[in-house]
Amino acid sequence: MDVFADTWAWLIDGANWSGAGGAGQRLGEHLFLTVVCLAVSCAIALPVALWLGHIGRGGALAVNLSNAGRAVPTFAVLVLLGLTPLGRYGMWPTVLALVLFAVPPLLTNAYVGMREADRDAVEAARGMGMSAGQLLWRTELPLAYPLIMTGVRSAAVQIVATATLAALPGGGGLGRIITAGFRTYDTPQVVAGAVLVAALALAVEGLLVLAGRAADPMRGRRRASRRTAPASVPLKAAL
């Protein structure tokens, strides 16, 4: 119980949040790293997944190759990239390692979402004379949107959790709080750093859930379908 009390005391101590190297600065670094890595990952994975899902060819190979990359330890990638000339450019080795880690869930979910789009709706849109681009943006993408956003949320949470490793080769973020606690044998600081990472992950996922609902291109249709769905018939009435 003393550890939890000491952790709470660490978290509410303003001295731990202010100044250079404080929790406030580390939280900002961690959030910035998450946003940059997620944006770069989406820019790489989503166009590829959407196009492969649209044409229906090569997607399985791309998904398997991206998933195979998840077997490579992220820390090993960080160290290797730090030893290359790229290591001279600050946070970019960390960004590249986290992007490689975040691409698989984005690519997999977006591709599966495109391939599992209602084929009757797709064929009906094609029969109406839609071009390939119109079919992709007006029909397939809205139908695949829920799975795409699931992949985005999964990638974002993984980036938040894995970005703590950036502190090991000397990067920033909340991982610096944890590593500093290990160096000084300060258990409450280590636990406080872990709590902050978990809280940030939950906050990022919650924000993405809200943003996903607000940006859902079929939000109105799904809401209307729920209102007009027939009520289930009680078992006794059915008998």
Side-chain angles (χ1 to χ4, degrees):
M1 294 299 294
D2 290 341
V3 173
F4 294 108
D6 292 342
T7 299
W8 176 251
W10 193 97
L11 288 170
I12 63 175
D13 187 351
N16 294 325
W17 288 84
S18 60
Q25 177 185 344
R26 299 307 182 194
L27 182 61
E29 292 172 349
H30 207 103
L31 186 58
F32 175 76
L33 190 61
T34 299
V35 172
V36 170
C37 293
L38 184 61
V40 174
S41 301
C42 289
I44 294 173
L46 293 185
V48 174
L50 295 178
W51 178 246
L52 292 179
H54 172 69
I55 64 176
R57 294 192 299 271
L61 177 61
V63 168
N64 289 332
L65 288 176
S66 66
N67 286 332
R70 303 175 78 172
V72 181
T74 307
F75 179 62
V77 176
L78 279 171
V79 173
L80 290 176
L81 290 175
L83 297 176
T84 65
L86 190 63
R88 304 173 185 174
Y89 298 97
M91 69 174 186
W92 290 111
T94 302
V95 170
L96 182 56
L98 293 177
V99 165
L100 293 175
F101 188 67
V103 162
L106 288 166
L107 184 64
T108 301
N109 280 270
Y111 175 76
V112 172
M114 291 290 290
R115 297 311 302 160
E116 291 188 355
D118 188 344
R119 305 325 297 175
D120 291 336
V122 173
E123 291 303 322
R126 184 177 284 114
M128 293 172 61
M130 284 190 178
S131 65
Q134 291 174 329
L135 189 66
L136 172 64
W137 290 105
R138 296 185 182 181
T139 304
E140 292 175 322
L141 181 58
L143 292 172
Y145 182 82
L147 265 180
I148 293 173
M149 287 307 300
T150 298
V152 171
R153 294 198 303 270
S154 176
V157 171
Q158 289 184 12
I159 290 173
V160 171
T162 312
T164 55
L165 296 176
L168 296 178
L174 293 172
R176 292 290 292 271
I177 296 176
I178 298 174
T179 55
F182 276 123
R183 284 197 302 268
T184 59
Y185 302 98
D186 189 346
T187 302
Q189 181 173 339
V190 174
V191 177
V195 169
L196 290 174
V197 172
L200 181 60
L202 292 173
V204 168
E205 183 168 16
L207 288 174
L208 287 175
V209 168
L210 295 177
R213 290 177 180 175
D216 189 347
M218 297 188 66
R219 179 179 53 174
R221 298 181 189 178
R222 292 192 176 99
R223 188 179 301 168
S225 65
R226 284 195 295 267
R227 285 199 301 263
T228 58
S232 58
V233 180
L235 180 60
K236 291 183 179 180
L239 296 175

